[in-house]
Amino acid sequence: MGRIKNSIGIALLAGAVLAGASGCGGSASATASKGSASPVAGASGSASASSSPSASPSPTHPAGPPIQLDSIAPLDGSTVGVAMPISIVFTHGVDSSARKAVEQALKVTTSVPMTGAWHWFSSHRVDWRPQNFWAPGTKVSIDANLKDVGDGNGRWGTHNYHHSFTIGADTETKVSVPGHWMKVYRNGSLVKTMPIDAGSSTFPSWDGTMAVIVKQPTVRMTSCSVNITCDKNNPNFYDLTLPNDVELTYSGTYVHYSTGDPYPGHSAGSHGCVHLSMDDSKWFYNYVEVGDPITISGSPRGNAAGDNGYAAFNLSWSQWLAGSGAGELPTTVG
């Protein structure tokens, strides 16, 4: 993806996407949150009090370095779509022996009762999702009660953190690669149908359900950044700055307008992205929000990995639970 990402120690990264070259295609899977974050205590910029570490007395655990959270998504205080997971990234790996205890310390509270589970994509990243999409209007908070909790590798939590967000409208998008169409639904009713072009057989789009990671007014797309080619003489080389970009995967999949395909609806010439006309891309960019699910079907590439962005719902519930230490847990209602 070509993004730059810095560790911020015990502060929770919760927002700003750092710009860099990106592009369609690619095959990378990422286990660290790369978007939807803002600096808080311990980093430059303004701090959100609700995400700041609470005061901590003298530790009651063995001496050792602290557990540090590199990032958490979604944004504290934000409103997100029905497919957005809670995603936490640790600066250092959590041993498998400690994951159940860590999960139990990560308390999820919802305004309506529901059951969900954590899933470890790696020793560094753990995501929480309900079994099915969130109900619109649900109020959610995550309390990372990590003080005195060990990571199994000699680190101990020294702070607790609080983070909250709201689930917005049920906006779901369906994309048919062979049909060259995109349909946007709000609360189950069709809002708009638009012609699209997606990836070719050589550079196919990812299938499956991917939650919007972030929206950016322009993104520099390069073939080099997604390992297609860095050779300017190669016919697949490109280096373009394109507008109305809705990011779906860390490996470089976007829904956007492309100057190379200004009137989509009939070809399969992208390098994996989904192309809209200029007018449609403006409309879509303004309509969807972070966490809204976009489901692509009919591509030969297969589903995007669950950690290639926020594609949690590409895993079945049994697959999701297989990556959990504590298993299925009811939320606290509050």
Side-chain angles (χ1 to χ4, degrees), residues 169-172 184-191 287 292:
D170 181 10
T171 302
E172 302 182 32
V184 181
Y185 298 83
R186 174 67 62 87
N187 298 323
S189 297
L190 181 64
V191 176
Y287 196 78
D292 285 344

mmCIF file of all heavy atoms in Angstrom, residues 169-172 184-191 287 292:
data_model
loop_
_atom_site.group_PDB
_atom_site.id
_atom_site.type_symbol
_atom_site.label_atom_id
_atom_site.label_comp_id
_atom_site.label_asym_id
_atom_site.label_seq_id
_atom_site.Cartn_x
_atom_site.Cartn_y
_atom_site.Cartn_z
ATOM 1 N N ALA A 169 -26.543 4.069 9.778
ATOM 2 C CA ALA A 169 -27.563 3.463 8.922
ATOM 3 C C ALA A 169 -27.047 2.177 8.285
ATOM 4 O O ALA A 169 -25.839 1.977 8.129
ATOM 5 C CB ALA A 169 -27.991 4.447 7.843
ATOM 6 N N ASP A 170 -27.975 1.310 7.930
ATOM 7 C CA ASP A 170 -27.636 0.059 7.240
ATOM 8 C C ASP A 170 -27.503 0.344 5.754
ATOM 9 O O ASP A 170 -28.466 0.257 4.997
ATOM 10 C CB ASP A 170 -28.725 -0.989 7.497
ATOM 11 C CG ASP A 170 -28.424 -2.318 6.821
ATOM 12 O OD1 ASP A 170 -27.294 -2.484 6.317
ATOM 13 O OD2 ASP A 170 -29.319 -3.181 6.792
ATOM 14 N N THR A 171 -26.286 0.714 5.336
ATOM 15 C CA THR A 171 -25.989 0.988 3.929
ATOM 16 C C THR A 171 -25.122 -0.142 3.409
ATOM 17 O O THR A 171 -23.991 -0.325 3.869
ATOM 18 C CB THR A 171 -25.261 2.331 3.767
ATOM 19 O OG1 THR A 171 -26.073 3.372 4.305
ATOM 20 C CG2 THR A 171 -24.966 2.618 2.296
ATOM 21 N N GLU A 172 -25.639 -0.905 2.469
ATOM 22 C CA GLU A 172 -24.932 -2.054 1.921
ATOM 23 C C GLU A 172 -24.827 -1.930 0.405
ATOM 24 O O GLU A 172 -25.784 -1.550 -0.258
ATOM 25 C CB GLU A 172 -25.638 -3.356 2.307
ATOM 26 C CG GLU A 172 -25.768 -3.546 3.816
ATOM 27 C CD GLU A 172 -26.415 -4.862 4.206
ATOM 28 O OE1 GLU A 172 -26.216 -5.847 3.465
ATOM 29 O OE2 GLU A 172 -27.112 -4.911 5.238
ATOM 30 N N VAL A 184 -26.631 0.017 -4.562
ATOM 31 C CA VAL A 184 -26.509 0.525 -3.199
ATOM 32 C C VAL A 184 -27.882 0.464 -2.532
ATOM 33 O O VAL A 184 -28.874 0.944 -3.095
ATOM 34 C CB VAL A 184 -25.969 1.962 -3.177
ATOM 35 C CG1 VAL A 184 -25.829 2.466 -1.748
ATOM 36 C CG2 VAL A 184 -24.625 2.036 -3.902
ATOM 37 N N TYR A 185 -27.912 -0.137 -1.341
ATOM 38 C CA TYR A 185 -29.163 -0.310 -0.600
ATOM 39 C C TYR A 185 -29.078 0.446 0.719
ATOM 40 O O TYR A 185 -28.025 0.494 1.371
ATOM 41 C CB TYR A 185 -29.413 -1.793 -0.298
ATOM 42 C CG TYR A 185 -29.580 -2.660 -1.526
ATOM 43 C CD1 TYR A 185 -28.449 -3.155 -2.202
ATOM 44 C CD2 TYR A 185 -30.842 -3.006 -1.997
ATOM 45 C CE1 TYR A 185 -28.589 -3.955 -3.319
ATOM 46 C CE2 TYR A 185 -30.992 -3.823 -3.113
ATOM 47 C CZ TYR A 185 -29.864 -4.290 -3.773
ATOM 48 O OH TYR A 185 -30.009 -5.089 -4.880
ATOM 49 N N ARG A 186 -30.188 1.019 1.137
ATOM 50 C CA ARG A 186 -30.302 1.633 2.463
ATOM 51 C C ARG A 186 -31.485 0.989 3.178
ATOM 52 O O ARG A 186 -32.622 1.047 2.697
ATOM 53 C CB ARG A 186 -30.489 3.153 2.345
ATOM 54 C CG ARG A 186 -30.769 3.910 3.651
ATOM 55 C CD ARG A 186 -29.589 3.905 4.606
ATOM 56 N NE ARG A 186 -28.392 4.542 4.124
ATOM 57 C CZ ARG A 186 -28.125 5.855 4.238
ATOM 58 N NH1 ARG A 186 -28.993 6.663 4.813
ATOM 59 N NH2 ARG A 186 -26.981 6.330 3.785
ATOM 60 N N ASN A 187 -31.195 0.337 4.309
ATOM 61 C CA ASN A 187 -32.220 -0.363 5.088
ATOM 62 C C ASN A 187 -32.997 -1.365 4.232
ATOM 63 O O ASN A 187 -34.214 -1.511 4.374
ATOM 64 C CB ASN A 187 -33.162 0.637 5.744
ATOM 65 C CG ASN A 187 -32.447 1.548 6.717
ATOM 66 O OD1 ASN A 187 -31.535 1.123 7.422
ATOM 67 N ND2 ASN A 187 -32.833 2.815 6.749
ATOM 68 N N GLY A 188 -32.292 -2.028 3.317
ATOM 69 C CA GLY A 188 -32.887 -3.063 2.492
ATOM 70 C C GLY A 188 -33.528 -2.587 1.217
ATOM 71 O O GLY A 188 -33.932 -3.406 0.381
ATOM 72 N N SER A 189 -33.660 -1.286 1.009
ATOM 73 C CA SER A 189 -34.305 -0.743 -0.198
ATOM 74 C C SER A 189 -33.240 -0.230 -1.161
ATOM 75 O O SER A 189 -32.275 0.439 -0.750
ATOM 76 C CB SER A 189 -35.256 0.390 0.167
ATOM 77 O OG SER A 189 -36.301 -0.075 0.990
ATOM 78 N N LEU A 190 -33.416 -0.538 -2.435
ATOM 79 C CA LEU A 190 -32.475 -0.105 -3.461
ATOM 80 C C LEU A 190 -32.508 1.407 -3.600
ATOM 81 O O LEU A 190 -33.565 2.004 -3.803
ATOM 82 C CB LEU A 190 -32.808 -0.773 -4.795
ATOM 83 C CG LEU A 190 -31.888 -0.433 -5.979
ATOM 84 C CD1 LEU A 190 -30.473 -0.930 -5.715
ATOM 85 C CD2 LEU A 190 -32.436 -1.048 -7.258
ATOM 86 N N VAL A 191 -31.325 2.024 -3.503
ATOM 87 C CA VAL A 191 -31.205 3.473 -3.615
ATOM 88 C C VAL A 191 -30.715 3.877 -4.993
ATOM 89 O O VAL A 191 -31.224 4.820 -5.600
ATOM 90 C CB VAL A 191 -30.240 4.017 -2.538
ATOM 91 C CG1 VAL A 191 -30.020 5.514 -2.703
ATOM 92 C CG2 VAL A 191 -30.759 3.707 -1.143
ATOM 93 N N TYR A 287 -21.881 9.305 -0.155
ATOM 94 C CA TYR A 287 -22.983 8.533 0.427
ATOM 95 C C TYR A 287 -22.509 7.512 1.447
ATOM 96 O O TYR A 287 -23.124 7.334 2.498
ATOM 97 C CB TYR A 287 -23.758 7.820 -0.685
ATOM 98 C CG TYR A 287 -25.117 7.324 -0.248
ATOM 99 C CD1 TYR A 287 -26.199 8.192 -0.134
ATOM 100 C CD2 TYR A 287 -25.323 5.975 0.042
ATOM 101 C CE1 TYR A 287 -27.450 7.743 0.262
ATOM 102 C CE2 TYR A 287 -26.573 5.514 0.441
ATOM 103 C CZ TYR A 287 -27.628 6.402 0.543
ATOM 104 O OH TYR A 287 -28.863 5.946 0.955
ATOM 105 N N ASP A 292 -19.153 0.709 6.223
ATOM 106 C CA ASP A 292 -20.236 0.203 5.365
ATOM 107 C C ASP A 292 -19.728 -0.994 4.569
ATOM 108 O O ASP A 292 -18.627 -0.951 4.007
ATOM 109 C CB ASP A 292 -20.714 1.281 4.394
ATOM 110 C CG ASP A 292 -21.571 2.345 5.050
ATOM 111 O OD1 ASP A 292 -22.049 2.110 6.173
ATOM 112 O OD2 ASP A 292 -21.771 3.409 4.425
#
